[in-house]
Amino acid sequence: QIGNKCFSNCLALKKVTLQNSLTKSGESIFNGISKLEILGDIEMIPNNFLYMSESLHQITIPSSVKTIGSKSFYRCLSLHSITIPPFVTSFKSFSFGSCSSLIEITIPSTVQSIGNSTFYNCKALEKVTFEEPASIKSIGVNCFSMCGLLNISIPSSVTSIEEGAFKYCNNLEYVVIPNSVTSLAKNAFALCSSLKRVTMPSSLKLEIVGQKVEIINT
């Protein structure tokens, strides 16, 4: 484990080599650093690793990484883009929570699970692309809540969309839910004030209170 603010304001630091024995770190350990390259044959970005690294806008992640740890990029306020390695299989809870400058992200086809609140409060996040053939089975609780998404097409691998998954996505207008989805939480799209049209299986029920939304059944 690495303690809070361990490398804070080491402004010339550009590279750090990690070992798999590191599973958790403190808060703000790289605060003040704008660019960072992570090295080493690691399989997991440790929990809290870049927590509140508010100046970080560019980062390189090793291709060996399979798991993005809980809160590993939480409140990286300057991070506007990131390339997820091609063999990542899971995102843990709040891993990119409150990354308020993140504009778009591509989810590799290897990803099988996205934890609760993974992209919570990413207000600038307009575009999410799921690489095909997708492997993800579930959109977690509050996963994209309070994001800036304009539209979303759920991949055909998904079978469930959990509570509040897209809640408060106030820019979201169009949604496509595939026939593979058999479980849709009551408040999955609650308070999406701009929502105009949802294409979804006739077997599902979507409750939208206080606004008119066109439902196209498939």
Side-chain angles (χ1 to χ4, degrees):
Q1 183 170 339
I2 299 176
N4 293 344
K5 300 183 179 181
C6 185
F7 301 103
S8 180
N9 292 314
C10 293
L11 302 184
L13 182 62
K14 296 181 179 179
K15 298 181 180 181
V16 58
T17 301
L18 299 182
Q19 297 180 346
N20 279 314
S21 56
L22 179 66
T23 58
K24 184 179 180 181
S25 62
E27 299 176 6
S28 303
I29 62 173
F30 295 106
N31 194 37
I33 296 171
S34 60
K35 296 182 181 180
L36 188 67
E37 181 179 2
I38 301 176
L39 304 174
D41 295 328
I42 58 169
E43 295 188 357
M44 176 181 176
I45 299 297
N47 296 340
N48 301 327
F49 185 61
L50 292 159
Y51 185 101
M52 292 186 67
S53 295
E54 297 183 355
S55 300
L56 187 72
H57 66 82
Q58 183 177 328
I59 187 165
T60 303
I61 303 175
S63 60
S64 57
V65 169
K66 296 180 179 178
T67 300
I68 306 294
S70 178
K71 294 186 177 180
S72 52
F73 292 90
Y74 190 80
R75 283 186 60 85
C76 288
L77 302 182
S78 300
L79 187 67
H80 58 82
S81 65
I82 186 170
T83 300
I84 304 299
F87 301 111
V88 169
T89 59
S90 65
F91 297 85
K92 301 302 182 182
S93 61
F94 288 97
S95 51
F96 290 94
S98 293
C99 289
S100 56
S101 297
L102 189 63
I103 297 172
E104 65 177 283
I105 194 162
T106 298
I107 309 295
S109 61
T110 51
V111 173
Q112 300 172 10
S113 64
I114 299 181
N116 297 343
S117 303
T118 296
F119 297 99
Y120 172 80
N121 198 34
C122 291
K123 295 181 178 180
L125 184 60
E126 295 183 349
K127 184 178 181 181
V128 175
T129 302
F130 294 91
E131 284 188 345
E132 296 289 349
S135 302
I136 183 171
K137 299 299 182 184
S138 176
I139 307 296
V141 174
N142 294 325
C143 184
F144 293 101
S145 178
M146 299 181 68
C147 284
L149 295 172
L150 302 176
N151 56 73
I152 189 74
S153 291
I154 309 297
S156 58
S157 58
V158 171
T159 59
S160 66
I161 301 176
E162 305 298 336
E163 184 80 15
F166 296 91
K167 190 175 182 179
Y168 286 115
C169 288
N170 291 325
N171 297 327
L172 186 62
E173 295 185 359
Y174 305 106
V175 175
V176 178
I177 301 175
N179 291 329
S180 59
V181 174
T182 57
S183 175
L184 177 62
K186 179 179 179 180
N187 294 316
F189 293 91
L191 302 171
C192 294
S193 58
S194 298
L195 192 60
K196 296 178 179 178
R197 185 173 69 232
V198 178
T199 302
M200 58 186 285
S202 57
S203 58
L204 299 178
K205 183 178 180 181
L206 180 64
E207 295 185 16
I208 301 292
V209 179
Q211 65 191 92
K212 186 176 180 181
V213 177
E214 180 185 8
I215 303 295
I216 300 175
N217 292 131
T218 56

